[in-house]
Amino acid sequence: MGNSRMTVREIARLAGVSVATVSRVSNGTGQVSEEMRRRVLEAIEKHGYRPDHLGRALAAGRHGALGLVFPGLSGPYFTELIQGFESEAVGSRASVHILCTHLRSDADDQVLEMGRRVDGVAVMGGTISEEALLRLAGMVPVVVVAGKGPGDIPSVRADNAGSMLALTRHLLADHDLRDLAFVGNPAGSPDVSERWAAFRGAHHDLGIEPPNEPVAVSMQQADGLLAAEQLLGGDAPRPAGVVCANDEIALGVLVGALGRGLSVPQDLVITGFDDVPAAALVTPSLTTVRQPVRELTAEAARLILRAANQPGNTPAGSLVLPTELVLRRSCGCSAPPTGGTGR
């Protein structure tokens, strides 16, 4: 009786041939002697073997899997990144292994171990050391997502500077705001570092003195609430506006401001970055920067798969994907006619 779960390795063992020979016979490629072909075909017919993507990967000396390395998995941003990566992996019939480095003292070692079990790895910028990245790139194709890699390691990232520069200039010049606060930790993320630099650059371009330091918090909504407490809870004058490193922080600041009885944007302007779905749904709707989050990891997966299918090659080139300023009510502008996120 046929067994649809029979593996390529088991067929190879039963036929007394290599995995590569089974693959060549089942795919109709390569040179195989008539005797070996007969043995393989008899084993396939007897046991009901149906070749799958994993068998083909093994025959090619691959694992049929890709790795994805993040600092953590909370929030809609990481959900979008995973979906973008998986969409490309599924199209190539590869599985996805995800590793979170948050609170791992052995993050570098864990990522290198993953590299022994996959055909390529996409690594979120800033999650492991440059030394580990270089070692990993010597093992499998590697692409850095939302950051820059050392040496010739390619990357896929969004244009953080252009739209953050435009957003800050819009607040300073079009709304004539002063005393803006930036919320986010530049030391914790390459993306935030670029956004902080662009925020300060817009001030300098207009001859306005920027704040010396950001309000350094992590990237989750609860951290936005902490930032709101710091900015709005003391005796110091509150800022005219809060420019947040991502939408989750901005939504936390918004909750904190509204909870204190402030009106947004009349009493306080709040902006974000990413354009997560909730940005268009809250009241007031959130002015933000739309970045192609899913496309970041989709492009990374394409680069990895291209290199994995051509042994000896490495992913080529680095990509900077465009972003778009989305003006809504939280800065004092009217919401777009559709009120949507463009997704």
Side-chain angles (χ1 to χ4, degrees), residues 167-180:
L167 171 59
T168 309
R169 287 178 64 94
H170 172 70
L171 299 180
L172 295 171
D174 298 339
H175 290 286
D176 199 29
L177 296 176
R178 297 298 181 268
D179 189 25
L180 299 178

Side-chain angles (χ1 to χ4, degrees), residues 43 52 85 102 108 114 179 181 207 215 246 252 255 276 284 297 325 330-331:
D52 59 14
F85 197 76
H102 181 59
D108 286 1
M114 168 186 271
D179 189 25
V215 180
N246 73 351
V255 169
V276 300
T297 46
L325 179 59
S330 71
C331 75

Side-chain angles (χ1 to χ4, degrees), residues 18-341:
S18 69
V19 168
T21 297
V22 175
S23 178
R24 284 194 289 269
V25 172
S26 60
N27 293 327
T29 59
Q31 297 296 318
V32 180
S33 71
E34 285 303 316
E35 172 61 19
M36 285 189 175
R37 186 183 304 278
R38 181 189 62 77
R39 283 153 51 189
V40 170
L41 291 175
E42 285 180 355
I44 288 174
E45 183 178 358
K46 180 177 180 180
H47 297 281
Y49 167 70
R50 291 198 297 267
D52 59 14
H53 72 287
L54 181 57
R56 288 191 292 272
L58 288 170
R62 305 211 311 272
H63 301 274
L66 303 181
L68 189 56
V69 180
F70 287 151
L73 290 178
S74 62
Y77 176 73
F78 289 107
T79 300
E80 293 272 293
L81 289 175
I82 292 170
Q83 290 175 346
F85 197 76
E86 284 190 327
S87 67
E88 290 300 315
V90 167
S92 296
R93 305 190 69 183
S95 61
V96 175
H97 297 183
I98 298 174
L99 174 64
C100 297
T101 62
H102 181 59
L103 298 180
R104 284 182 177 268
S105 59
D106 61 345
D108 286 1
D109 292 338
Q110 290 295 319
V111 174
L112 291 171
E113 176 60 31
M114 168 186 271
R116 299 182 180 94
R117 296 180 281 108
V118 297
D119 300 317
V121 184
V123 181
M124 192 84 174
T127 55
I128 61 174
S129 70
E130 289 192 352
E131 178 186 359
L133 263 177
L134 290 169
R135 289 177 60 191
L136 184 66
M139 300 164 57
V140 292
V142 174
V143 174
V144 174
V145 177
K148 297 179 182 179
D152 296 329
I153 296 177
S155 63
V156 181
R157 62 189 192 278
D159 177 15
N160 292 292
S163 291
M164 179 55 80
L165 190 71
L167 171 59
T168 309
R169 287 178 64 94
H170 172 70
L171 299 180
L172 295 171
D174 298 339
H175 290 286
D176 199 29
L177 296 176
R178 297 298 181 268
D179 189 25
L180 299 178
F182 182 93
V183 180
N185 185 5
S189 161
D191 277 350
V192 179
S193 178
E194 290 185 356
R195 293 168 197 173
W196 165 243
F199 171 83
R200 288 176 57 83
H203 282 77
H204 289 307
D205 290 348
L206 296 172
I208 301 169
E209 187 67 23
N212 292 322
E213 300 290 339
V215 180
V217 299
S218 296
M219 303 285 276
Q220 298 180 28
Q221 186 169 327
D223 302 299
L225 281 166
L226 293 175
E229 177 68 26
Q230 182 175 338
L231 290 168
L232 309 175
D235 296 329
R238 69 171 179 261
V242 181
V243 177
C244 300
N246 73 351
D247 287 346
E248 290 188 68
I249 294 174
L251 293 171
V253 173
L254 178 62
V255 169
L258 297 177
R260 292 179 175 277
L262 299 179
S263 178
V264 178
Q266 289 81 3
D267 297 326
L268 182 71
V269 163
I270 301 172
T271 68
F273 202 108
D274 288 339
D275 197 24
V276 300
L281 302 177
V282 294
T283 302
S285 54
L286 187 65
T287 288
T288 187
V289 171
R290 178 180 301 147
Q291 67 163 320
V293 180
R294 290 191 188 188
E295 194 62 16
L296 289 172
T297 46
E299 283 287 1
R302 292 180 197 122
L303 289 173
I304 291 169
L305 287 165
R306 195 173 302 132
N309 288 328
Q310 299 173 357
N313 288 357
T314 57
S318 293
L319 301 174
V320 179
L321 304 184
T323 54
E324 177 187 357
L325 179 59
V326 181
L327 301 177
R328 297 194 181 105
R329 299 191 185 280
S330 71
C331 75
C333 290
S334 298
T338 62
T341 67

